[in-house]
Coordinates of all heavy atoms in Angstrom, one line a residue:
R1037 N -2.2 -3.0 73.4 CA -1.3 -3.7 74.3 C -1.3 -3.2 75.7 O -0.3 -2.9 76.3 CB 0.1 -3.6 73.7 CG 0.4 -4.3 72.5 CD 1.8 -4.5 72.2 NE 2.7 -3.3 72.4 CZ 3.3 -2.7 71.4 NH1 3.3 -3.1 70.2 NH2 4.1 -1.7 71.7
I1038 N -2.5 -3.2 76.3 CA -2.6 -2.9 77.7 C -2.7 -4.2 78.4 O -3.3 -5.2 77.9 CB -3.7 -1.9 78.1 CG1 -5.1 -2.4 77.8 CG2 -3.4 -0.5 77.6 CD1 -6.2 -1.5 78.3
G1039 N -2.3 -4.3 79.6 CA -2.3 -5.5 80.3 C -0.9 -5.9 80.6 O 0.1 -5.3 80.3
P1040 N -0.8 -7.0 81.4 CA 0.6 -7.4 81.9 C 1.3 -7.9 80.7 O 1.0 -8.8 80.0 CB 0.3 -8.6 82.8 CG -1.1 -9.0 82.6 CD -1.8 -7.9 82.0
S1041 N 2.4 -7.3 80.3 CA 3.2 -7.5 79.1 C 4.6 -6.9 79.2 O 4.7 -5.9 79.9 CB 2.4 -7.1 77.9 OG 3.3 -7.1 76.7
E1042 N 5.5 -7.4 78.5 CA 6.9 -6.8 78.5 C 6.9 -5.6 77.5 O 7.7 -4.8 77.6 CB 7.8 -7.8 78.0 CG 8.0 -9.0 78.9 CD 8.5 -8.6 80.4 OE1 9.4 -7.7 80.4 OE2 8.0 -9.1 81.4
L1043 N 5.8 -5.5 76.6 CA 5.8 -4.4 75.7 C 5.1 -3.3 76.2 O 4.0 -3.4 76.9 CB 5.0 -4.9 74.4 CG 5.7 -6.1 73.7 CD1 4.8 -6.6 72.6 CD2 7.1 -5.7 73.1
A1044 N 5.5 -2.0 75.9 CA 4.8 -0.9 76.4 C 3.6 -0.7 75.6 O 3.4 -1.1 74.5 CB 5.8 0.3 76.1
P1045 N 2.5 -0.1 76.2 CA 1.3 0.2 75.5 C 1.6 1.1 74.3 O 2.5 1.9 74.3 CB 0.4 1.0 76.5 CG 1.0 0.6 77.8 CD 2.5 0.4 77.6
A1046 N 0.8 0.8 73.2 CA 1.1 1.5 71.9 C -0.1 2.2 71.5 O -1.2 1.8 71.9 CB 1.5 0.5 70.8
T1047 N 0.0 3.4 70.8 CA -1.1 4.1 70.3 C -0.9 4.2 68.8 O 0.1 4.2 68.3 CB -1.3 5.5 70.9 OG1 -0.1 6.2 70.6 CG2 -1.4 5.4 72.4
R1048 N -2.1 4.3 68.2 CA -2.2 4.5 66.7 C -3.3 5.5 66.3 O -4.3 5.4 67.0 CB -2.2 3.2 66.0 CG -3.5 2.5 66.0 CD -3.6 1.3 65.1 NE -4.8 0.4 65.6 CZ -5.9 0.7 65.2 NH1 -6.2 1.8 64.4 NH2 -7.1 -0.1 65.5
L1049 N -3.0 6.4 65.4 CA -4.0 7.3 65.0 C -5.0 6.5 64.2 O -4.7 5.8 63.2 CB -3.4 8.4 64.2 CG -4.4 9.4 63.6 CD1 -5.1 10.2 64.7 CD2 -3.7 10.4 62.7
A1050 N -6.3 6.6 64.5 CA -7.4 5.8 63.9 C -8.4 6.7 63.2 O -9.0 6.3 62.2 CB -8.1 5.0 64.9
A1051 N -8.5 7.9 63.6 CA -9.6 8.8 63.1 C -9.3 10.3 63.4 O -8.5 10.6 64.3 CB -10.9 8.4 63.6
W1052 N -10.0 11.1 62.8 CA -10.2 12.5 63.2 C -11.7 12.7 63.5 O -12.5 12.3 62.7 CB -9.8 13.5 62.2 CG -8.3 13.8 62.3 CD1 -7.3 13.0 61.7 CD2 -7.6 14.8 63.0 NE1 -6.0 13.6 61.9 CE2 -6.3 14.7 62.8 CE3 -8.0 15.9 63.8 CZ2 -5.3 15.5 63.4 CZ3 -7.2 16.7 64.4 CH2 -5.8 16.5 64.1
R1053 N -12.1 13.3 64.6 CA -13.4 13.5 65.0 C -13.7 15.0 65.1 O -13.0 15.7 65.5 CB -13.7 12.8 66.4 CG -15.1 13.0 66.9 CD -15.4 12.1 68.1 NE -15.2 10.7 67.6 CZ -15.2 9.6 68.4 NH1 -15.2 9.8 69.7 NH2 -15.0 8.4 67.9
F1054 N -14.9 15.3 64.5 CA -15.4 16.7 64.5 C -16.8 16.7 65.3 O -17.6 15.9 65.0 CB -15.7 17.2 63.0 CG -14.4 17.2 62.2 CD1 -13.9 16.1 61.7 CD2 -13.8 18.4 62.0 CE1 -12.7 16.1 60.9 CE2 -12.6 18.4 61.2 CZ -12.1 17.3 60.7
V1055 N -16.9 17.7 66.1 CA -18.2 18.0 66.7 C -19.1 18.7 65.7 O -18.6 19.7 65.0 CB -18.1 18.9 68.0 CG1 -19.5 19.3 68.5 CG2 -17.3 18.0 69.1
I1056 N -20.3 18.4 65.4 CA -21.2 19.0 64.5 C -22.1 20.0 65.3 O -22.9 19.5 66.1 CB -22.0 18.0 63.7 CG1 -21.1 17.0 62.9 CG2 -22.9 18.7 62.7 CD1 -20.0 17.6 62.0
R1057 N -22.0 21.2 65.0 CA -22.8 22.2 65.7 C -23.9 22.8 64.8 O -23.7 22.9 63.6 CB -22.0 23.4 66.2 CG -21.1 23.0 67.3 CD -20.5 24.2 67.9 NE -19.6 23.8 68.9 CZ -19.9 23.4 70.2 NH1 -21.1 23.3 70.5 NH2 -18.9 23.1 71.0
S1058 N -25.1 23.0 65.5 CA -26.2 23.7 64.8 C -26.7 24.7 65.8 O -27.0 24.5 66.9 CB -27.3 22.7 64.6 OG -28.5 23.4 64.1
S1059 N -26.6 26.0 65.4 CA -26.9 27.1 66.4 C -26.3 27.1 67.7 O -26.9 27.0 68.7 CB -28.5 27.1 66.6 OG -29.1 27.3 65.3
E1060 N -25.0 26.9 67.6 CA -24.1 26.9 68.9 C -24.4 25.7 69.8 O -23.9 25.7 70.9 CB -24.3 28.2 69.7 CG -24.1 29.5 69.0 CD -22.6 29.6 68.6 OE1 -21.7 29.2 69.3 OE2 -22.4 29.9 67.4
Q1061 N -25.1 24.7 69.3 CA -25.3 23.5 70.0 C -24.7 22.3 69.4 O -24.9 22.2 68.2 CB -26.8 23.3 70.3 CG -27.2 22.1 71.1 CD -28.6 21.9 71.2 OE1 -29.5 22.7 70.7 NE2 -29.1 20.9 72.0
A1062 N -24.1 21.5 70.1 CA -23.6 20.2 69.6 C -24.7 19.3 69.3 O -25.5 18.9 70.3 CB -22.5 19.6 70.5
V1063 N -24.9 18.8 68.1 CA -26.0 17.8 67.8 C -25.5 16.5 67.5 O -26.3 15.5 67.5 CB -27.0 18.4 66.7 CG1 -27.6 19.7 67.2 CG2 -26.1 18.7 65.5
A1064 N -24.2 16.4 67.1 CA -23.7 15.1 66.6 C -22.2 15.2 66.5 O -21.6 16.2 66.8 CB -24.3 14.7 65.3
A1065 N -21.6 14.1 66.1 CA -20.2 14.2 65.7 C -20.0 13.4 64.4 O -20.8 12.6 64.0 CB -19.3 13.5 66.9
A1066 N -18.9 13.6 63.8 CA -18.4 13.0 62.5 C -17.1 12.4 62.7 O -16.2 13.1 63.2 CB -18.6 13.9 61.3
D1067 N -16.9 11.1 62.3 CA -15.5 10.6 62.2 C -15.1 10.4 60.8 O -15.8 10.2 59.9 CB -15.5 9.2 62.9 CG -15.3 9.2 64.4 OD1 -15.1 10.3 65.0 OD2 -15.2 8.1 65.0
T1068 N -13.8 10.6 60.6 CA -13.2 10.4 59.3 C -12.2 9.2 59.6 O -11.8 9.0 60.7 CB -12.4 11.6 58.8 OG1 -11.4 11.9 59.7 CG2 -13.3 12.7 58.6
M1069 N -11.8 8.6 58.5 CA -10.9 7.5 58.6 C -9.8 7.6 57.5 O -10.1 8.2 56.5 CB -11.6 6.1 58.5 CG -12.3 5.9 57.2 SD -13.2 4.4 57.2 CE -14.0 4.4 55.6
L1070 N -8.7 7.0 57.8 CA -7.6 7.1 56.8 C -7.8 5.9 55.8 O -7.9 4.7 56.2 CB -6.2 7.0 57.5 CG -5.0 7.3 56.6 CD1 -5.1 8.6 55.9 CD2 -3.8 7.2 57.5
T1071 N -7.8 6.2 54.5 CA -7.9 5.1 53.5 C -6.7 5.2 52.6 O -5.9 6.1 52.8 CB -9.2 5.4 52.6 OG1 -9.0 6.6 51.8 CG2 -10.5 5.6 53.5
P1072 N -6.5 4.3 51.7 CA -5.3 4.3 50.8 C -5.3 5.6 50.0 O -4.2 6.1 49.6 CB -5.5 3.1 49.9 CG -6.4 2.1 50.7 CD -7.3 3.0 51.6
D1073 N -6.5 6.3 49.8 CA -6.6 7.5 49.1 C -6.5 8.8 50.0 O -6.7 9.9 49.4 CB -7.8 7.6 48.2 CG -7.8 6.5 47.1 OD1 -6.8 6.2 46.6 OD2 -8.8 5.9 46.9
G1074 N -6.3 8.6 51.2 CA -6.3 9.7 52.2 C -7.5 9.7 53.1 O -8.2 8.7 53.3
W1075 N -7.7 10.8 53.8 CA -8.8 10.8 54.8 C -10.1 11.0 54.1 O -10.2 11.7 53.1 CB -8.5 12.2 55.7 CG -7.4 11.9 56.6 CD1 -6.1 12.5 56.4 CD2 -7.4 11.3 57.8 NE1 -5.4 12.0 57.5 CE2 -6.1 11.3 58.4 CE3 -8.4 10.5 58.5 CZ2 -5.8 10.7 59.6 CZ3 -8.1 9.9 59.7 CH2 -6.7 10.0 60.2
A1076 N -11.1 10.2 54.6 CA -12.4 10.2 54.1 C -13.5 10.1 55.2 O -13.2 9.6 56.3 CB -12.6 8.9 53.1
F1077 N -14.6 10.6 54.9 CA -15.7 10.6 55.9 C -16.0 9.1 56.2 O -16.1 8.3 55.3 CB -16.9 11.3 55.3 CG -18.1 11.2 56.1 CD1 -18.3 11.9 57.3 CD2 -19.2 10.3 55.6 CE1 -19.5 11.8 58.1 CE2 -20.3 10.2 56.4 CZ -20.5 10.9 57.6
S1078 N -16.3 8.9 57.5 CA -16.7 7.5 57.9 C -18.1 7.5 58.3 O -18.9 6.8 57.7 CB -15.8 7.1 59.1 OG -16.3 5.9 59.6
H1079 N -18.6 8.3 59.3 CA -19.9 8.2 59.8 C -20.2 9.4 60.7 O -19.4 10.0 61.4 CB -20.2 6.8 60.4 CG -19.4 6.6 61.7 ND1 -18.1 6.2 61.7 CD2 -19.7 6.7 63.0 CE1 -17.7 6.1 62.9 NE2 -18.6 6.4 63.7
F1080 N -21.6 9.6 60.9 CA -22.1 10.5 61.9 C -22.5 9.7 63.1 O -23.0 8.6 62.9 CB -23.2 11.4 61.4 CG -22.9 12.3 60.3 CD1 -23.5 12.1 59.0 CD2 -22.1 13.4 60.6 CE1 -23.2 13.0 58.0 CE2 -21.9 14.3 59.6 CZ -22.4 14.2 58.2
F1081 N -22.6 10.3 64.3 CA -23.1 9.6 65.5 C -23.4 10.6 66.5 O -23.0 11.8 66.4 CB -22.2 8.6 66.0 CG -20.8 9.1 66.6 CD1 -20.7 9.4 67.9 CD2 -19.8 9.4 65.7 CE1 -19.5 9.9 68.4 CE2 -18.6 9.9 66.2 CZ -18.5 10.2 67.6
E1082 N -24.1 10.2 67.5 CA -24.4 11.1 68.6 C -24.4 10.1 69.9 O -24.2 9.0 69.8 CB -25.8 11.7 68.6 CG -27.0 10.8 68.4 CD -28.3 11.6 68.2 OE1 -28.5 11.9 67.0 OE2 -29.0 11.8 69.1
G1083 N -24.5 10.7 71.0 CA -24.5 9.9 72.3 C -23.8 10.8 73.4 O -23.3 11.9 73.2
P1084 N -23.6 10.2 74.6 CA -23.0 10.8 75.7 C -21.6 11.3 75.6 O -21.2 12.3 76.3 CB -23.2 9.8 76.8 CG -23.2 8.5 76.2 CD -23.9 8.7 74.8
Y1085 N -20.8 10.7 74.8 CA -19.4 11.1 74.7 C -19.2 12.4 74.1 O -18.2 13.1 74.3 CB -18.6 10.0 73.9 CG -18.3 8.8 74.6 CD1 -18.6 7.5 74.0 CD2 -17.8 8.8 75.8 CE1 -18.2 6.4 74.7 CE2 -17.5 7.5 76.6 CZ -17.7 6.4 75.9 OH -17.4 5.3 76.6

Side-chain angles (χ1 to χ4, degrees):
R1037 291 196 315 244
I1038 59 174
S1041 168
E1042 297 297 319
L1043 300 172
T1047 64
R1048 65 176 170 79
L1049 180 64
W1052 275 87
R1053 180 166 297 166
F1054 297 79
V1055 171
I1056 307 300
R1057 290 195 182 280
S1058 172
S1059 304
E1060 300 301 316
Q1061 178 182 1
V1063 294
D1067 270 5
T1068 61
M1069 61 184 177
L1070 192 57
T1071 70
D1073 296 324
W1075 288 99
F1077 172 75
S1078 174
H1079 62 282
F1080 293 115
F1081 65 96
E1082 59 185 82
Y1085 284 132

